[in-house]
Amino acid sequence: MVKFNSAGVRIWGTYFGGREDESAYDVDVDSNNNIYIVGKTNSRTELSFNSNLQPLLNREIISIPDSPDGFLAKFNSNGNIIWSTYAGGENDDSFTSIKVAQNYLVISGNTRSLNHISTPGVFQENKYQTNISSPE
């Protein structure tokens, strides 16, 4: 990730990743100039900092080389990490979009996982079934 001023001069640059492949897909900035990035990773460790959501890549079958999880990271305006986390289930997951609101983040992406994605009481708790009744 690299930050430039309005004249195109690089202010700072930093790596963010582990020992495998990472791809960042979107970035947003909050009112305090903290920077949020989202993407996907195949790195099994080294991407979760100051977070208790998901400390490691959630890959059930280690022999599958390309089964990424999504990641979310927050940096301060000087390029230093504040926190980051993996997020995903047993299969391919990625975050492709982020929007920062006043006191929350909205993230979207892709998943092939059946577990560790949804929370109770939401529109679709199960990948193949919604909580909306069909009209009769």
Side-chain angles (χ1 to χ4, degrees):
M1 183 168 56
V2 181
K3 181 178 178 180
F4 294 89
N5 69 16
S6 60
V9 176
R10 184 174 68 171
I11 298 169
W12 54 258
T14 183
Y15 289 100
F16 176 71
R19 296 176 191 259
E20 300 294 331
D21 296 328
E22 282 76 41
S23 297
Y25 294 121
D26 201 10
V27 61
D28 204 359
V29 179
D30 68 17
S31 60
N32 295 316
N33 291 319
N34 294 307
I35 303 162
Y36 298 81
I37 61 171
V38 295
K40 71 177 183 178
T41 181
N42 278 304
S43 294
R44 297 188 65 214
T45 60
E46 303 158 338
L47 232 67
S48 184
F49 299 96
N50 299 324
S51 173
N52 61 3
L53 176 63
Q54 186 178 323
L56 301 170
L57 186 74
N58 192 4
R59 183 184 299 159
E60 287 188 1
I61 304 171
I62 302 302
S63 62
I64 297 175
D66 189 23
S67 184
D69 273 352
F71 72 81
L72 164 63
K74 179 180 180 180
F75 292 82
N76 66 20
S77 62
N78 295 318
N80 295 307
I81 194 156
I82 297 171
W83 56 261
S84 63
T85 187
Y86 294 91
E90 76 284 357
N91 216 321
D92 298 355
D93 308 293
S94 64
F95 289 149
T96 57
S97 179
I98 183 170
K99 296 298 175 213
V100 177
Q102 289 182 342
N103 59 357
Y104 60 91
L105 309 171
V106 178
I107 300 168
S108 64
N110 306 299
T111 186
R112 294 180 69 196
S113 295
L114 300 175
N115 301 299
H116 309 294
I117 301 297
S118 66
T119 57
V122 296
F123 168 67
Q124 192 171 346
E125 292 180 24
N126 177 294
K127 186 168 178 157
Y128 301 109
Q129 180 180 355
T130 66
N131 287 332
I132 294 184
S133 301
S134 299
E136 299 201 23

